[in-house]
Amino acid sequence: MYEKRSDRLRPAVVVDLRSDTVTQPSPAMREAINRAELGDDVYGEDPTINRLEALAAELTGKEAAVLVVSGTMGNLTALLAHGQRGQRVILGDESHIFRYEGGGASALGGLVYHTLPTAADGSLPLDSIQQAAAPSSDTHWAPPGLICLENTHNRCGGTVLSPAYMADVHAIARDAGLPLHLDGARVFNAAVALDVPVSAIATHVDSLQFCLSKGLAAPVGSIVAGSQPFIERVRRVRKMVGGGMRQAGIIAAAGIVALTEMVERLSDDHANARALAGGLAAIPAIGIDPSRVQTDIVRFDLPADGPDAATFLAALREHGVAMSSLGPRTVRAVTHYGVEAGQIDQVLSAVRAVLAG
Ligand SMILES: *Cc1c(COP(=O)(O)O)cnc(C)c1O
């Protein structure tokens, strides 16, 4: 193996807080992958996938669930299964679906994005949802097709939507005759933060997508859950976009470990994020609202008279710490499996050193 010269000179990243997607599979996952019983899943014959999908349906309290390649494919297949070409998807202007998924539902499904302003806590104002969802006989308008929420909210910094708020949105959706889909990439973080089972959140939506590959630490995969007829439509769209996999029980085996062994430990990530936020709040140059640090994501702002995010991140990396940016002066750090409580002080020292110049 050749080593790039730049890699040899650069200090190794010791604490990687860019995302919870950088997690390595646990030893139990590697063991489960090794032992997994496999079959052709396009024929419905992979026993490990069938077990994972049944477990996911049970945990979310939905009739059925299906394994997909990624969160992006989960949202895409769900949106195409819910909406018809020319219909509007009502969603937040800071949502992952709108900002980071290549416009897939529009490009591939002919859906129109109708974005609503996102509040700092990740919610969308109820009156704006109601207005957007109202049926109209005006022939100028693209008819509404579905509503989407995101919990926890990525760009808002891992904020948690309350079940009461979600119930209110669900009532609006029902009154308008529209399905409500949840981008729940990190819905298990929300459940752990609220100290409720994930089904207590999922009960307020018609469908949801969640990632096995983020804080739950599996190497690959997401789940879409919902009613039986909806999941049958998702399977059809999944095949159409090339997501029909064969002996993917290799993936599902790690997913089962993720759902059975990796949920409760998310509270460790949340405690580490709170500790990091507390330390950052004590640095006068940094703008942060610790009350918004509710799960594994820490979002903070750099001072206007200091380095911008790109300069800050490059300097931080020289100290062995990696983070990512959410804007020109906004930084995101995500705690996860593999980051130890003892490393938070090291991260804070690195941040202080960089800001001291
Ligand atoms: C990561 C993420 C996704 C997409 O998941 P991938 O597996 O990376 O495609 C969707 N929604 C939210 C909120 C996310 O954070």
Side-chain angles (χ1 to χ4, degrees), residues 82-103:
H82 278 310
Q84 305 293 322
R85 299 184 73 80
Q87 288 186 332
R88 275 180 292 128
V89 187
I90 298 160
L91 79 181
D93 58 356
E94 293 287 349
S95 65
H96 194 282
I97 295 177
F98 179 60
R99 307 251 332 193
Y100 297 129
E101 299 184 10

Side-chain angles (χ1 to χ4, degrees), residues 191-205:
V192 165
L194 291 165
D195 197 18
V196 298
V198 92
S199 58
I201 298 174
T203 188
H204 299 301
V205 296

